[in-house]
Amino acid sequence: MALMAGIAAAGPIVIKFSHVVAENTPKGLAANKFRDLVKERMGDKVVVEVYPSSQLFDDDKVLEAMMLGDVQMAAPSLSKFDRYTKSLQLFDLPFLFQDMGAVDRFQQSKEGQELLNSMRKKGFIGLGYIHNGLKQLSSSKPMRVPADAAGMKFRIMASNVLAAQFNAMKAIPLKKPFSEVFILLQTRAIDGQENTWSNIYSQKYFEVQPYITESNHGVLDYMVVTSTEFWNDLPDDIRTELKQILDEAIAYGNAIALEKDTEDKQKIIDSKRTQIITLTPEERTQWVEVMKPVWKQFEEEIGKDLIDAAYKANQAH
Ligand code: SIN
């Protein structure tokens, strides 16, 4: 507390918020909204600096940087916490959530909220979830059934569940940071990747990937995290106000996530740079059958009760 009083006397508290996506994405817009609302309401006390597009740190470095106090907030995808907790691997299980409504219901449930605290012992606090959307598969060759992916190299986020998912397809998964994906695709060093419409559009993957299979096989969502030490050291009134503003900014980003998903998909279609492959129910069943055994592989690490709770969220109230 004495330290904080010193910081306040010396000037505003600075929060560096680092992320990897473009500004015109649900996460980019939520982070900017947070910065703007803090400026409007807490101007002389707190300043938020947003660093988009991996300008400050890539996702494979940002959590270490947070531990060192070089960055105070980030919102990595839920797939990128593998090293800190096994519970969040839940979100990578293929075909777990039918739609983003189910993802949201689960995140707001008791179990979903508890997951925000799953890394406390490792020094991180989850402050909320930001949505992006369901993932599609882009590639250099058309893929209608999982056998079409055999032998192809796919970039994945640093998640063992995602590695297992591509191994199940007899494809070759390569863990690479987000900032390298475009160039890897462009130079054909890899054959494909999985991502949301928003990222496929804003990162221009559709310009270098001639095919996108609309698989909706997994979810890409984020957890806003801060370091336990930084958060707990904040004066109580500042912490409370920041949390309220962050909740508002997250609600803003989440309200436009679905809209952006549809809008960016349409822009990709309109570009005519890539062919979108729509699966028949029979083809989709093949993807489910090949990928779903991954659940069993990770059931012990993640916890069956947690998987059941998440699956239940598919039933709308
Ligand atoms: C992100 O949306 O933050 C990045 C996702 C990825 O690494 O593919």
Side-chain angles (χ1 to χ4, degrees), residues 63 66-67 76-78 80-88 114-127 129 223-228:
L63 294 174
M66 191 172 279
M67 280 292 98
S77 111
L78 293 163
K80 294 178 180 170
F81 293 103
D82 223 22
R83 272 188 292 157
Y84 301 95
T85 173
K86 293 297 167 199
S87 314
L88 292 176
E114 278 167 9
L115 286 177
L116 294 171
N117 291 319
S118 58
M119 294 176 286
R120 266 194 191 249
K121 284 198 188 117
K122 299 277 161 69
F124 301 110
I125 298 183
L127 297 174
Y129 295 101
M223 187 182 284
V224 182
V225 284
T226 186
S227 95
T228 316

Side-chain angles (χ1 to χ4, degrees), residues 275-315:
Q275 186 188 327
I276 296 179
I277 297 171
T278 310
L279 301 175
T280 63
E282 294 73 26
E283 286 165 347
R284 192 175 150 82
T285 303
Q286 288 197 42
W287 290 95
V288 175
E289 279 171 0
V290 166
M291 288 186 183
K292 223 169 152 184
V294 167
W295 291 27
K296 261 273 169 280
Q297 233 176 299
F298 288 87
E299 188 179 279
E300 208 176 306
E301 274 182 21
I302 297 171
K304 183 160 180 351
D305 290 352
L306 198 57
I307 299 175
D308 289 346
Y311 188 69
K312 245 176 63 191
N314 287 309
Q315 298 154 10

Side-chain angles (χ1 to χ4, degrees), residues 15-31:
I15 297 179
K16 290 187 179 160
F17 191 136
S18 168
H19 67 80
V20 298
V21 289
E23 290 191 279
N24 191 20
T25 56
K27 177 162 63 179
L29 292 166

